[in-house]
Amino acid sequence: MKLTNDLRVSASMPETWRTLLDVPRVARALPGATIDAEPVDGAFRGRLKIKLGPVTAEYTGRAQLQDVDEDEHIASFHVTGREARGQGTAEATITIRARAEAGSTRVLVETDLQVTGRQAQLGRGIMEGVASGVLGDVAARLQRSIVEGEGADGASADEAFDARGAVLRPVLERVAILLAGVLAGLGLGRVVWRR
């Protein structure tokens, strides 16, 4: 599954770019994530807790910076994870493209994601909603970290990322579209029936 997200960070390109390449700093901005301080064979090991309603899943995995083009401001990361108490796995190649834009930085995030297990049943729309919610939250935290200093507003590793809000938004959007279609159909039906 390929996902594309676009976000803006209200910080200069050099500061944003330097932060985006700092894997531990990015991980600290993600609720529910913990990461080992030092890489092993070029990869950072870590854990991520995700809460969806009453169910909390924990993943263990690794993240590695693969390619960096400093001139074009393009970088790719390879991330793998396995559910600690289940059969689910996740693997992603995440490519970021950054460009300066009127005193801020626009970041395009392209994710090639493969998910197995229960989470694979969520579907593309919900996955896109979750990815958009996560990236928006991480961007806000990274922005505060850049502006206020490296230790500012890191997420707590004890809290799990609550995906419920990110999942509910696309479901509610679909329901709203369906209801709008039904109401429009009923309205059109009444007009036709009266004639």
Side-chain angles (χ1 to χ4, degrees), residues 43-120:
F44 289 90
R45 296 186 183 278
R47 288 154 299 288
L48 176 64
K49 284 191 265 184
I50 300 176
K51 182 178 181 183
L52 184 54
V55 178
T56 300
E58 185 171 348
Y59 286 85
T60 58
R62 40 186 277 145
Q64 183 169 14
L65 184 59
Q66 285 186 317
D67 300 310
V68 178
D69 183 335
E70 291 285 354
D71 296 329
E72 297 293 323
H73 296 104
I74 300 171
S76 66
F77 302 82
H78 187 250
V79 179
T80 59
R82 176 171 291 284
E83 203 174 352
R85 292 188 200 100
Q87 303 297 318
T89 64
E91 182 173 355
T93 299
I94 303 165
T95 303
I96 58 171
R97 292 175 168 79
R99 71 173 193 267
E101 192 172 274
S104 63
T105 305
R106 171 83 73 200
V107 182
L108 178 68
V109 182
E110 296 172 327
T111 306
D112 187 358
L113 176 68
Q114 293 88 40
V115 179
T116 65
R118 293 174 294 160
Q119 293 75 10

Coordinates of all heavy atoms in Angstrom, one line a residue, residues 43-120:
A43 N 21.4 0.5 12.3 CA 19.9 0.6 12.5 C 19.6 0.8 14.0 O 20.3 0.4 14.8 CB 19.3 -0.7 12.1
F44 N 18.6 1.6 14.2 CA 18.1 1.9 15.5 C 17.0 0.9 15.9 O 16.1 0.7 15.1 CB 17.6 3.4 15.6 CG 18.6 4.4 15.6 CD1 19.0 4.9 14.3 CD2 19.2 4.9 16.7 CE1 20.0 5.9 14.3 CE2 20.2 5.8 16.6 CZ 20.6 6.4 15.4
R45 N 17.1 0.3 17.1 CA 16.1 -0.6 17.6 C 15.2 0.2 18.5 O 15.6 1.1 19.2 CB 16.7 -1.8 18.3 CG 17.6 -2.6 17.4 CD 18.1 -3.9 18.1 NE 18.9 -4.6 17.2 CZ 18.5 -5.5 16.3 NH1 17.3 -5.6 16.1 NH2 19.4 -6.1 15.5
G46 N 13.9 -0.2 18.4 CA 12.9 0.5 19.3 C 11.6 -0.2 19.4 O 11.5 -1.4 18.9
R47 N 10.7 0.4 20.1 CA 9.4 -0.2 20.4 C 8.3 0.9 20.2 O 8.6 2.1 20.3 CB 9.3 -0.7 21.8 CG 10.1 -1.9 22.1 CD 10.5 -2.1 23.5 NE 11.4 -1.0 24.1 CZ 12.7 -0.9 23.7 NH1 13.3 -1.6 22.8 NH2 13.4 0.1 24.3
L48 N 7.1 0.5 19.8 CA 6.0 1.4 19.6 C 4.8 0.8 20.1 O 4.4 -0.4 19.8 CB 5.9 1.7 18.1 CG 4.7 2.6 17.7 CD1 4.8 4.0 18.3 CD2 4.5 2.7 16.2
K49 N 4.0 1.5 21.0 CA 2.8 1.1 21.5 C 1.7 1.9 20.8 O 1.7 3.1 20.8 CB 2.7 1.3 23.0 CG 3.5 0.4 23.9 CD 3.1 0.5 25.3 CE 4.1 1.4 26.0 NZ 3.9 1.5 27.4
I50 N 0.7 1.1 20.3 CA -0.5 1.8 19.6 C -1.7 1.3 20.3 O -1.9 0.1 20.5 CB -0.5 1.4 18.1 CG1 0.8 1.8 17.4 CG2 -1.7 1.9 17.4 CD1 0.9 1.4 16.0
K51 N -2.6 2.2 20.6 CA -3.9 1.9 21.3 C -5.0 2.2 20.3 O -5.1 3.3 19.7 CB -4.0 2.8 22.5 CG -5.3 2.5 23.3 CD -5.3 3.3 24.6 CE -6.6 3.0 25.3 NZ -6.8 3.8 26.5
L52 N -5.9 1.2 20.2 CA -7.1 1.4 19.3 C -8.2 0.9 20.2 O -8.5 -0.3 20.3 CB -6.9 0.5 18.0 CG -8.1 0.7 17.0 CD1 -8.3 2.1 16.7 CD2 -7.8 -0.1 15.8
G53 N -8.9 1.9 20.8 CA -10.0 1.6 21.7 C -9.4 0.9 22.9 O -8.4 1.4 23.5
P54 N -10.0 -0.2 23.4 CA -9.5 -0.9 24.6 C -8.3 -1.8 24.3 O -7.7 -2.3 25.2 CB -10.7 -1.8 25.0 CG -11.4 -2.1 23.7 CD -11.2 -0.8 22.8
V55 N -7.9 -1.9 23.0 CA -6.8 -2.8 22.7 C -5.5 -2.0 22.5 O -5.5 -1.0 21.8 CB -7.1 -3.6 21.4 CG1 -5.9 -4.5 21.0 CG2 -8.4 -4.4 21.6
T56 N -4.4 -2.5 23.1 CA -3.1 -1.9 22.9 C -2.2 -2.9 22.3 O -2.0 -4.0 22.8 CB -2.5 -1.4 24.3 OG1 -3.4 -0.4 24.8 CG2 -1.2 -0.7 24.1
A57 N -1.5 -2.6 21.2 CA -0.6 -3.5 20.6 C 0.8 -2.8 20.7 O 1.0 -1.6 20.7 CB -0.9 -3.6 19.1
E58 N 1.8 -3.7 20.9 CA 3.2 -3.2 21.0 C 4.0 -3.9 19.9 O 3.9 -5.1 19.7 CB 3.8 -3.5 22.4 CG 5.1 -2.9 22.6 CD 5.6 -3.0 24.0 OE1 4.9 -3.4 24.9 OE2 6.8 -2.8 24.2
Y59 N 4.8 -3.1 19.2 CA 5.6 -3.5 18.2 C 7.1 -3.3 18.6 O 7.4 -2.3 19.2 CB 5.4 -2.8 16.9 CG 4.1 -3.1 16.1 CD1 2.9 -2.6 16.5 CD2 4.2 -4.1 15.1 CE1 1.8 -2.9 15.8 CE2 3.0 -4.5 14.5 CZ 1.8 -3.9 14.8 OH 0.6 -4.2 14.2
T60 N 7.9 -4.3 18.2 CA 9.4 -4.1 18.3 C 9.9 -4.1 16.9 O 9.4 -4.7 16.0 CB 10.1 -5.2 19.1 OG1 9.8 -6.5 18.5 CG2 9.5 -5.3 20.5
G61 N 10.9 -3.3 16.7 CA 11.5 -3.2 15.3 C 12.7 -2.4 15.2 O 13.4 -2.1 16.2
R62 N 13.0 -2.0 14.0 CA 14.2 -1.2 13.7 C 14.0 -0.2 12.6 O 13.1 -0.4 11.7 CB 15.4 -2.1 13.4 CG 15.1 -3.3 12.5 CD 16.2 -4.3 12.3 NE 17.1 -3.8 11.2 CZ 18.4 -4.0 11.2 NH1 19.0 -4.6 12.2 NH2 19.1 -3.5 10.2
A63 N 14.7 0.9 12.7 CA 14.6 1.9 11.6 C 16.0 2.3 11.2 O 16.9 2.4 12.0 CB 13.9 3.1 12.2
Q64 N 16.2 2.4 9.9 CA 17.5 2.7 9.3 C 17.4 3.7 8.2 O 16.5 3.6 7.4 CB 18.1 1.4 8.8 CG 19.5 1.5 8.3 CD 20.2 0.2 8.0 OE1 19.5 -0.8 8.0 NE2 21.5 0.2 7.8
L65 N 18.3 4.7 8.3 CA 18.4 5.7 7.3 C 19.1 5.0 6.1 O 20.2 4.5 6.3 CB 19.2 6.9 7.8 CG 19.3 8.1 6.9 CD1 18.0 8.7 6.5 CD2 20.2 9.2 7.6
Q66 N 18.5 5.0 4.9 CA 19.1 4.3 3.8 C 19.9 5.2 2.9 O 21.0 5.0 2.7 CB 18.0 3.6 3.0 CG 17.4 2.3 3.6 CD 16.5 1.6 2.7 OE1 15.6 2.2 2.0 NE2 16.6 0.3 2.6
D67 N 19.2 6.1 2.3 CA 19.8 7.0 1.3 C 19.5 8.5 1.6 O 18.4 8.8 2.0 CB 19.2 6.7 -0.1 CG 19.4 5.3 -0.6 OD1 20.6 4.9 -0.5 OD2 18.5 4.7 -1.0
V68 N 20.5 9.3 1.4 CA 20.4 10.7 1.6 C 21.0 11.5 0.5 O 22.1 11.3 0.1 CB 21.1 11.2 3.0 CG1 20.9 12.6 3.2 CG2 20.5 10.4 4.1
D69 N 20.2 12.4 -0.1 CA 20.6 13.3 -1.2 C 20.6 14.7 -0.5 O 19.5 15.3 -0.5 CB 19.8 13.2 -2.4 CG 20.2 14.0 -3.5 OD1 20.9 15.1 -3.3 OD2 19.9 13.7 -4.7
E70 N 21.7 15.1 -0.1 CA 21.8 16.4 0.6 C 21.5 17.6 -0.3 O 20.9 18.6 0.1 CB 23.2 16.7 1.2 CG 23.5 15.8 2.4 CD 22.8 16.1 3.7 OE1 22.1 17.2 3.7 OE2 22.9 15.4 4.7
D71 N 21.8 17.5 -1.6 CA 21.6 18.6 -2.5 C 20.1 18.7 -2.8 O 19.6 19.9 -2.9 CB 22.4 18.4 -3.8 CG 23.9 18.4 -3.6 OD1 24.3 19.1 -2.7 OD2 24.6 17.7 -4.3
E72 N 19.4 17.6 -3.0 CA 18.0 17.7 -3.4 C 17.1 17.6 -2.2 O 15.8 17.7 -2.3 CB 17.6 16.5 -4.4 CG 18.4 16.6 -5.7 CD 17.9 17.8 -6.5 OE1 16.7 18.1 -6.5 OE2 18.8 18.4 -7.2
H73 N 17.6 17.3 -1.0 CA 16.9 17.2 0.3 C 15.9 16.0 0.1 O 14.7 16.2 0.4 CB 16.2 18.5 0.7 CG 17.2 19.5 1.0 ND1 17.5 20.6 0.1 CD2 18.0 19.7 2.1 CE1 18.4 21.4 0.7 NE2 18.7 20.9 1.9
I74 N 16.4 14.9 -0.2 CA 15.6 13.6 -0.3 C 16.3 12.6 0.5 O 17.5 12.4 0.4 CB 15.4 13.1 -1.8 CG1 14.8 14.2 -2.7 CG2 14.7 11.8 -1.8 CD1 14.8 13.9 -4.1
A75 N 15.5 11.9 1.3 CA 16.1 10.8 2.1 C 15.1 9.7 2.2 O 13.9 9.9 2.1 CB 16.4 11.3 3.5
S76 N 15.6 8.5 2.4 CA 14.7 7.3 2.6 C 15.1 6.5 3.8 O 16.3 6.4 4.1 CB 14.6 6.4 1.3 OG 15.9 5.8 1.1
F77 N 14.1 6.0 4.5 CA 14.3 5.2 5.7 C 13.6 3.8 5.4 O 12.6 3.7 4.7 CB 13.6 5.8 6.9 CG 14.0 7.2 7.2 CD1 13.6 8.3 6.5 CD2 15.0 7.4 8.2 CE1 14.0 9.6 6.8 CE2 15.4 8.7 8.5 CZ 14.9 9.8 7.8
H78 N 14.2 2.8 6.0 CA 13.6 1.5 6.0 C 13.2 1.1 7.4 O 14.0 1.2 8.3 CB 14.5 0.4 5.4 CG 13.8 -0.9 5.2 ND1 14.1 -2.0 6.0 CD2 12.9 -1.3 4.4 CE1 13.4 -3.0 5.6 NE2 12.6 -2.6 4.6
V79 N 11.9 0.8 7.7 CA 11.4 0.5 9.0 C 10.7 -0.9 9.0 O 9.9 -1.1 8.1 CB 10.4 1.6 9.4 CG1 9.9 1.3 10.8 CG2 11.0 3.0 9.4
T80 N 11.1 -1.7 10.0 CA 10.4 -3.0 10.1 C 9.9 -3.1 11.5 O 10.6 -2.6 12.5 CB 11.3 -4.2 9.8 OG1 12.5 -4.1 10.6 CG2 11.8 -4.1 8.3
G81 N 8.8 -3.9 11.7 CA 8.3 -4.1 13.1 C 7.6 -5.4 13.1 O 7.0 -5.9 12.2
R82 N 7.6 -6.0 14.3 CA 6.8 -7.2 14.6 C 6.0 -7.0 15.9 O 6.5 -6.5 16.9 CB 7.8 -8.4 14.7 CG 7.1 -9.7 15.1 CD 8.0 -10.9 15.0 NE 8.4 -11.2 13.6 CZ 7.6 -11.8 12.8 NH1 6.4 -12.2 13.1 NH2 8.1 -12.0 11.5
E83 N 4.8 -7.4 15.8 CA 3.9 -7.3 17.0 C 4.5 -8.2 18.1 O 4.9 -9.4 17.9 CB 2.5 -7.8 16.7 CG 1.4 -7.3 17.6 CD 0.0 -7.6 17.1 OE1 -0.1 -8.2 16.0 OE2 -0.9 -7.4 17.9
A84 N 4.6 -7.6 19.3 CA 5.3 -8.4 20.5 C 4.5 -9.6 20.9 O 5.0 -10.6 21.2 CB 5.5 -7.4 21.6
R85 N 3.1 -9.5 20.9 CA 2.3 -10.6 21.3 C 1.3 -11.0 20.2 O 0.1 -11.1 20.5 CB 1.5 -10.2 22.6 CG 2.4 -10.0 23.8 CD 1.6 -9.8 25.0 NE 2.4 -9.2 26.1 CZ 2.3 -8.0 26.4 NH1 1.6 -7.1 25.7 NH2 3.1 -7.5 27.3
G86 N 1.7 -11.1 19.0 CA 0.8 -11.5 18.0 C 1.6 -11.8 16.7 O 2.8 -11.9 16.7
Q87 N 0.9 -12.0 15.6 CA 1.5 -12.4 14.4 C 1.7 -11.3 13.4 O 2.2 -11.4 12.3 CB 0.5 -13.5 13.7 CG 0.3 -14.7 14.5 CD 1.5 -15.5 14.8 OE1 2.4 -15.6 13.9 NE2 1.7 -15.9 16.1
G88 N 1.2 -10.1 13.8 CA 1.3 -8.9 12.9 C 2.7 -8.4 12.7 O 3.6 -8.4 13.5
T89 N 2.9 -8.0 11.4 CA 4.2 -7.4 11.0 C 3.9 -6.1 10.2 O 2.8 -6.0 9.7 CB 5.1 -8.3 10.2 OG1 4.4 -8.6 9.0 CG2 5.4 -9.6 10.9
A90 N 4.9 -5.3 10.2 CA 4.8 -4.1 9.4 C 6.2 -3.8 8.8 O 7.2 -3.9 9.5 CB 4.3 -2.9 10.2
E91 N 6.2 -3.4 7.5 CA 7.5 -3.0 6.9 C 7.2 -1.8 6.0 O 6.2 -1.8 5.3 CB 8.0 -4.2 6.1 CG 9.3 -3.9 5.4 CD 10.0 -5.1 4.8 OE1 9.4 -6.2 4.9 OE2 11.0 -5.0 4.1
A92 N 8.1 -0.9 6.0 CA 7.8 0.3 5.2 C 9.1 0.9 4.7 O 10.1 0.9 5.4 CB 7.1 1.4 6.1
T93 N 9.1 1.5 3.5 CA 10.1 2.3 3.0 C 9.5 3.7 3.0 O 8.5 3.9 2.3 CB 10.6 1.9 1.6 OG1 11.1 0.6 1.7 CG2 11.7 2.9 1.1
I94 N 10.1 4.6 3.7 CA 9.5 6.0 3.8 C 10.5 7.0 3.2 O 11.7 7.0 3.5 CB 9.4 6.4 5.3 CG1 8.5 5.4 6.0 CG2 8.8 7.8 5.4 CD1 8.5 5.4 7.5
T95 N 10.0 7.7 2.2 CA 10.9 8.6 1.4 C 10.3 10.0 1.7 O 9.1 10.3 1.6 CB 10.8 8.4 -0.1 OG1 11.2 7.0 -0.3 CG2 11.7 9.3 -0.8
I96 N 11.3 10.9 2.2 CA 10.9 12.3 2.4 C 11.6 13.2 1.4 O 12.7 13.0 1.1 CB 11.2 12.7 3.9 CG1 12.7 12.5 4.2 CG2 10.4 11.9 4.9 CD1 13.2 13.1 5.5
R97 N 10.8 14.2 1.0 CA 11.3 15.3 0.1 C 11.0 16.6 0.8 O 9.8 16.9 1.0 CB 10.7 15.2 -1.2 CG 11.1 14.0 -2.0 CD 10.3 13.9 -3.3 NE 10.8 12.9 -4.2 CZ 10.6 11.6 -4.1 NH1 9.8 11.1 -3.1 NH2 11.1 10.7 -4.9
A98 N 12.0 17.4 1.0 CA 11.8 18.7 1.7 C 12.2 19.8 0.8 O 13.1 19.7 0.0 CB 12.6 18.7 3.0
R99 N 11.4 20.9 0.9 CA 11.8 22.1 0.2 C 11.4 23.3 1.0 O 10.4 23.3 1.7 CB 11.2 22.1 -1.2 CG 9.7 22.3 -1.2 CD 9.2 22.5 -2.7 NE 7.9 23.0 -2.7 CZ 6.8 22.2 -2.8 NH1 6.9 20.9 -2.8 NH2 5.6 22.8 -2.8
A100 N 12.2 24.4 0.9 CA 11.9 25.6 1.5 C 10.7 26.3 0.9 O 10.5 26.2 -0.3 CB 13.1 26.5 1.5
E101 N 9.9 26.9 1.8 CA 8.7 27.5 1.2 C 8.3 28.7 2.2 O 7.7 28.5 3.2 CB 7.5 26.5 1.2 CG 6.3 26.9 0.4 CD 5.4 25.8 0.2 OE1 5.5 25.1 -0.8 OE2 4.5 25.7 1.0
A102 N 8.6 29.9 1.8 CA 8.2 31.1 2.5 C 8.4 31.1 4.0 O 7.6 31.2 4.8 CB 6.7 31.4 2.2
G103 N 9.7 30.8 4.4 CA 10.1 30.8 5.8 C 9.8 29.5 6.5 O 10.1 29.4 7.7
S104 N 9.2 28.6 5.8 CA 8.9 27.3 6.5 C 9.4 26.2 5.6 O 10.1 26.5 4.6 CB 7.4 27.1 6.7 OG 6.7 27.1 5.4
T105 N 9.1 25.0 5.9 CA 9.6 23.8 5.1 C 8.4 22.9 4.8 O 7.7 22.5 5.6 CB 10.7 23.0 5.8 OG1 11.7 23.9 6.2 CG2 11.2 21.9 5.0
R106 N 8.2 22.6 3.5 CA 7.2 21.7 3.1 C 7.9 20.3 2.9 O 8.9 20.2 2.3 CB 6.6 22.2 1.7 CG 5.7 21.2 1.0 CD 4.3 21.2 1.5 NE 3.6 22.3 1.0 CZ 2.5 22.7 1.6 NH1 2.0 22.1 2.7 NH2 1.8 23.8 1.1
V107 N 7.2 19.3 3.5 CA 7.8 18.0 3.5 C 6.8 17.0 2.9 O 5.6 16.9 3.4 CB 8.2 17.5 4.9 CG1 8.8 16.1 4.9 CG2 9.1 18.5 5.6
L108 N 7.1 16.4 1.8 CA 6.3 15.3 1.2 C 6.8 14.0 1.7 O 8.0 13.7 1.7 CB 6.4 15.4 -0.3 CG 5.6 14.3 -1.1 CD1 4.1 14.6 -0.9 CD2 6.0 14.3 -2.6
V109 N 5.9 13.2 2.3 CA 6.3 11.9 2.8 C 5.5 10.8 2.0 O 4.3 10.8 2.0 CB 5.8 11.8 4.3 CG1 6.3 10.5 4.9 CG2 6.4 13.0 5.1
E110 N 6.3 10.0 1.4 CA 5.8 8.8 0.6 C 6.1 7.6 1.4 O 7.3 7.3 1.6 CB 6.3 8.8 -0.8 CG 5.9 10.1 -1.6 CD 6.6 10.2 -2.9 OE1 7.8 9.7 -3.0 OE2 6.0 10.7 -3.9
T111 N 5.1 6.8 1.6 CA 5.3 5.5 2.4 C 4.8 4.3 1.6 O 3.7 4.3 1.1 CB 4.5 5.6 3.7 OG1 4.9 6.8 4.4 CG2 4.8 4.3 4.6
D112 N 5.7 3.4 1.4 CA 5.4 2.1 0.8 C 5.3 1.1 1.9 O 6.3 0.7 2.5 CB 6.4 1.7 -0.2 CG 6.0 0.5 -1.0 OD1 4.9 -0.1 -0.8 OD2 6.8 0.0 -1.9
L113 N 4.0 0.7 2.3 CA 3.8 0.0 3.5 C 3.2 -1.4 3.2 O 2.3 -1.5 2.4 CB 2.8 0.8 4.3 CG 2.2 0.2 5.6 CD1 3.4 0.1 6.7 CD2 1.1 1.1 6.2
Q114 N 3.7 -2.4 3.9 CA 3.2 -3.7 3.9 C 2.9 -4.1 5.3 O 3.7 -4.0 6.2 CB 4.2 -4.8 3.3 CG 4.5 -4.6 1.8 CD 5.6 -3.7 1.6 OE1 6.6 -3.7 2.4 NE2 5.6 -2.8 0.6
V115 N 1.6 -4.5 5.6 CA 1.2 -4.8 6.9 C 0.5 -6.2 6.9 O -0.2 -6.5 5.9 CB 0.1 -3.8 7.5 CG1 -0.4 -4.2 8.8 CG2 0.7 -2.4 7.5
T116 N 0.8 -7.0 7.9 CA 0.2 -8.3 8.0 C -0.5 -8.4 9.4 O -0.2 -7.6 10.3 CB 1.2 -9.5 7.8 OG1 2.1 -9.5 8.9 CG2 1.9 -9.4 6.5
G117 N -1.4 -9.4 9.5 CA -2.1 -9.6 10.8 C -3.4 -8.8 10.9 O -3.9 -8.4 9.9
R118 N -3.9 -8.6 12.1 CA -5.2 -8.0 12.3 C -5.2 -6.6 11.7 O -6.2 -6.1 11.2 CB -5.5 -7.9 13.8 CG -5.8 -9.2 14.4 CD -5.9 -9.1 15.9 NE -4.7 -8.6 16.5 CZ -4.6 -8.0 17.6 NH1 -5.6 -7.8 18.4 NH2 -3.4 -7.7 18.1
Q119 N -4.1 -5.8 11.8 CA -4.1 -4.4 11.3 C -4.3 -4.3 9.8 O -4.7 -3.3 9.3 CB -2.8 -3.8 11.7 CG -2.6 -3.6 13.2 CD -2.3 -4.9 14.0 OE1 -2.0 -5.9 13.4 NE2 -2.4 -4.8 15.3
A120 N -3.9 -5.4 9.1 CA -4.1 -5.4 7.6 C -5.5 -5.3 7.2 O -5.8 -4.9 6.1 CB -3.4 -6.7 7.0

